[in-house]
Amino acid sequence: MAAVDPSVSGVSGRYATALFELAREDKSVDAVKADLDKFDAMLADSPELVRLVRSPVFSADTQAKALAAVLDKAGIGGTTAKFLKVLTANRRLFVVADVIRAFRAMVAKFKGEATAEVTVAETLTNKNLDALKSALKSVTGKDITLNVKVDPSIIGGLVVKLGSRMVDSSLRTKLNSIKHAMKEAG
């Protein structure tokens, strides 16, 4: 059994762990992750699907029929489809987003990868993204996946969150620290 990430707990953690172990045994971790990513993207694009997943108003039978149609249309099958159907039968489909997040964390840990949350003032070029990945890899020793968010309010620079560490080199933060220093001096 793989060591479970301590941040993965509760119902979603147990389901994600079970799915991860099953996918590892079947040597289908990448395929399951791809299918879950596809389903997660569908959730992001469809308020109706989110309502189906989260609403307790729908019966398990109704959810199962609708989910089967959605999975068929999306081309999601195999272990992932069976797993989502089990979630539905157990009336736990509402935790699917947390299960997907926990599963991704397990896959990243299994593959020795890390995810960095990066906030920038304007869109970075591919060259800058590659340089940032290289710099973070040299610090962590792991392959890095970047989740980049553009937030013009930071004015310039960037904010990087990697695990429990955060580096804030944004211009907004630097200006605020100068402002506070001037207030204290004045």
Side-chain angles (χ1 to χ4, degrees):
M1 181 124 186
V4 177
D5 188 328
S7 67
V8 177
S9 62
V11 172
S12 58
R14 288 191 298 274
Y15 276 103
T17 301
L19 177 60
F20 180 75
E21 292 300 327
L22 187 61
R24 234 179 49 171
E25 286 174 16
D26 293 346
K27 297 183 181 2
S28 63
V29 171
D30 291 331
V32 170
K33 183 180 178 300
D35 284 345
L36 287 178
D37 288 345
K38 188 186 297 184
F39 189 74
D40 194 36
M42 290 168 58
L43 282 172
D45 291 341
S46 174
E48 294 84 15
L49 183 58
V50 171
R51 196 171 85 242
L52 173 75
V53 165
R54 292 202 173 167
S55 178
V57 173
F58 298 107
S59 69
D61 189 46
T62 302
Q63 274 186 327
K65 287 178 183 173
L67 182 69
V70 168
L71 295 177
D72 286 344
K73 185 174 180 180
I76 296 173
T79 303
T80 308
K82 289 176 189 171
F83 174 76
L84 291 171
K85 290 173 183 176
V86 167
L87 273 181
T88 305
N90 292 346
R91 300 293 291 159
R92 296 288 186 264
L93 192 57
F94 67 93
V95 297
V96 73
D98 292 334
V99 171
I100 292 170
R101 188 175 22 79
F103 185 83
R104 285 178 181 151
M106 289 177 192
V107 171
K109 187 172 185 175
F110 177 70
K111 291 183 169 189
E113 299 171 342
T115 300
E117 303 291 329
V118 180
T119 305
V120 294
E122 56 187 39
T123 307
L124 295 176
T125 64
N126 286 338
K127 184 179 175 184
N128 289 338
L129 288 171
D130 291 341
L132 183 57
K133 280 183 185 180
S134 299
L136 291 172
K137 183 175 181 169
S138 69
V139 171
T140 63
K142 296 180 178 183
D143 288 328
I144 303 293
T145 302
L146 298 178
N147 287 341
V148 181
K149 181 178 122 189
V150 177
D151 180 3
S153 73
I154 68 169
I155 304 170
L158 59 131
V159 179
V160 179
K161 294 178 189 172
L162 182 61
S164 62
R165 294 181 274 180
M166 182 172 112
V167 176
D168 186 344
S169 66
S170 67
L171 193 51
R172 178 181 61 197
T173 300
K174 290 178 182 179
L175 290 172
N176 282 338
S177 64
I178 291 170
K179 179 179 163 185
H180 289 298
M182 290 176 74
K183 280 184 181 177
E184 289 175 8

